Amino acid sequence: MSHETPPAPLRYGEAVLYPPAVLEPRMLPAEIPPGVQYVTLPSGARSLAYTSTAPTEPAPVPVQRIPMWAKTTALLAPTVGGGIGAASVGLAYAAPGLIALTEALWAAVALIAVGGAAFLLGRTPRASASTHITQHITATGFFGRAHGSIGHR
């Protein structure tokens, strides 16, 4: 092998000289990893290259299991949303009936109040017995004097 001195700095436009390619392999065959061989390039130089013709299969991606809380949340979210939507639709349809029901309940409350008041007033004892008065009036003639009697019971 010959050792060449590095070229002097080049000026613009001068040809660049490259050192010759290494033609002899420098690794022992035992040092070469599997799937790698010495190949001869079209320029005549020998180089190491991968020679496997079959494409290597990628390593299988490890499957990550979905946590249970994520599955539960994913199933619970549309269920809760659907329930809220169904409840709102039901309330929209039931609103006129609920308004009528409240009116009927207020009428029932008023009826109970009037019935209770009548019941309480009917049960109160009277302060005195009722007085029965009868009058008999008699008169004779057109301008006659009238006489009467009053009877208390």
Side-chain angles (χ1 to χ4, degrees):
M1 290 203 164
S2 66
H3 292 286
E4 295 180 17
T5 61
L10 300 175
R11 288 182 280 161
Y12 183 75
E14 287 185 2
V16 177
L17 299 175
Y18 295 101
V22 177
L23 299 177
E24 294 297 321
R26 295 191 179 201
M27 289 180 72
L28 297 174
E31 297 174 340
I32 299 174
V36 176
Q37 291 181 348
Y38 279 108
V39 292
T40 305
L41 299 175
S43 65
R46 294 195 57 174
S47 175
L48 290 173
Y50 290 103
T51 58
S52 173
T53 56
T56 59
E57 292 193 24
V61 178
V63 178
Q64 292 182 343
R65 302 200 55 86
I66 299 172
M68 198 62 179
W69 64 266
K71 289 181 184 178
T72 304
T73 304
L75 292 174
L76 189 62
T79 305
V80 170
I84 291 171
S88 64
V89 169
L91 284 175
Y93 280 118
L98 292 175
I99 292 170
L101 183 65
T102 58
E103 296 295 328
L105 287 175
W106 279 116
V109 167
L111 181 66
I112 290 170
V114 169
F119 178 74
L120 290 176
L121 289 176
R123 291 199 44 138
T124 57
R126 294 195 169 96
S128 63
S130 63
T131 306
H132 189 74
I133 300 173
T134 57
Q135 285 185 322
H136 296 287
I137 300 172
T138 58
T140 57
F142 189 68
F143 291 106
R145 195 173 176 155
H147 300 280
S149 64
I150 298 176
H152 293 280
R153 285 194 214 168

